[in-house]
Amino acid sequence: MKRLFLLMILSVTSVLCLNAQTKSLHQLQQEFVDLRCGMFIHFNMPTFFNEDWPDPDAAPELFNPVRMDCKQWAKAAKSANMTYGCLTTKHHSGFCIWDTKTTDYSVMSSPFKRDVVKEYADAFRAEGMKVMLYYSILDTHARLRPKCITPQHIEMIKEQLRELLTNYGEITALIIDGWDAPWSRIFYDDVPFEDIYRLVKSIQPNCLVMDLNAAKYPAEALFYTDIKSYEQGAGQHISKDTNRLPALSCLPLQQNWFWKESFPTTPVKSPAQMVNDNIIPMGKSYCNFILNVAPNRDGLMDANALKALKEIGKLWKNDGRVATVPEADAPIISSNIAKYQPAEGTWSSDYAIMDFANDDDFGTCWNSNPEVKVPWYSVTFEREKPFNMVVITDRNNDRLQEYRLEYRTGGTWNLLYEGKAPTGLRVKIHRFDTVWGDAVRMTVLNSNGTTSIAEFGVYCERR
């Protein structure tokens, strides 16, 4: 009987695990876009400083929102017909607002001593809304900064994410910040993106991984994120006419992300503008809109913000899906082993030499001289390495028409691909079975104008 009972338990567990993983990434992306609009909640140590970048060594005693009521936040979001919330569990100065075992720099060391993440998650679920979490990779309190990252830092990140994804129920999306941004200067190689991505999926397979700092990457493919993000305040604006990727656009209702002393007496952004310029048109362009509302130092939302949210709810009703998200290539999540490696190519001017095609900058290009009839470009590694993907980012749409891809092993060139470009868009993604080689070469057979390559990437994905 014990054996039979054990087999039954294992069978049920297997079915539950299988059910948990039945949704494809495309289905999850569609469901995210169908949520239409949600509430970003920037609430953390900066709330108590009147600025968004506080002293990273500020005493935990400063965090004491004595009247905090997450039910008020949830009801406010519901009044605007929002479908989810997203809370800043840890911002760039490293203060954790959940019961973490990884650091003493947390809400449990403050006079408040309440798990804000739990109360938030419970309140939003009680109103029938989804729960998302924001997490910063940059952690200035832990000295997790550029050129200072240790294996212990990476393990701390992993353990904090394990806590957040294990102890608070189903998390629809993890929105990550402070990674591969010009101001954070922590690259995807410093804290390996693929390791973190696969950790999240191993704990919660249906949790979308979203990096807010993918602005430098082209809008035609998903680089290091399941959802393409656009922070309007940083000048990032989605093209409502040409976007074909599942996307997120964010904006604060108030003047800043975190609460400021002037907020209660300063007008918030127009509810009509939020609806007519953001929620409605973005939904038609496969984009979800997340509106930030910052609680004050008491842990409550100000009256002017609550009024604006109710007005949004009067102007707009969430009618669900308004556009079917096109299928996209799987996200690129592994490290580019061609980055900064020795490159060669046909004749070009000094201002557009071959090194510009693997400099991790999509704003620079290698341009083959127009006199060259059959342009080619290659990148060489210090030894033979495994790889299974090549990504070519054209300078313009529809420039590369036809080309050949080869790899070199044992001094011999072998064919990877020859034919027409798989898409007329800028980013051409080629996935194939893993091969080993010490060089990769592209030969252009047909080009609509001068060959101009913004980035040439080589990757070895774990599959």
Side-chain angles (χ1 to χ4, degrees), residues 398-437:
D398 210 31
R399 179 69 64 91
L400 276 179
Q401 297 286 303
E402 193 172 353
Y403 50 85
R404 179 190 307 123
L405 289 174
E406 301 167 287
Y407 71 100
R408 188 177 65 193
T409 181
T412 301
W413 288 100
N414 300 274
L415 185 66
L416 279 171
Y417 175 84
E418 183 171 337
K420 292 183 178 180
T423 175
L425 299 176
R426 291 182 66 200
V427 184
K428 333 290 186 185
I429 300 175
H430 295 270
R431 286 182 164 96
F432 42 86
D433 292 337
T434 301
V435 298
W436 285 73

Side-chain angles (χ1 to χ4, degrees), residues 274-348:
M274 296 302 99
V275 171
N276 297 322
D277 293 351
N278 291 280
I279 301 174
I280 292 176
M282 286 181 183
K284 298 175 182 177
S285 300
Y286 323 114
C287 185
N288 186 313
F289 180 64
I290 185 167
L291 181 65
N292 187 76
V293 186
N296 60 33
R297 291 173 186 169
D298 285 335
L300 299 172
M301 291 179 175
D302 293 329
N304 54 358
L306 296 175
K307 181 180 177 182
L309 291 167
K310 288 180 181 178
E311 187 63 27
I312 289 173
K314 292 176 183 177
L315 295 171
W316 173 73
K317 303 299 179 186
N318 192 334
D319 48 6
R321 182 176 302 182
V322 294
T324 301
V325 178
E327 289 267 9
D329 282 295
I332 296 161
I333 62 172
S334 53
S335 294
N336 178 10
I337 63 174
K339 183 169 64 175
Y340 305 139
Q341 297 304 301
E344 293 294 339
T346 48
W347 173 29
S348 59

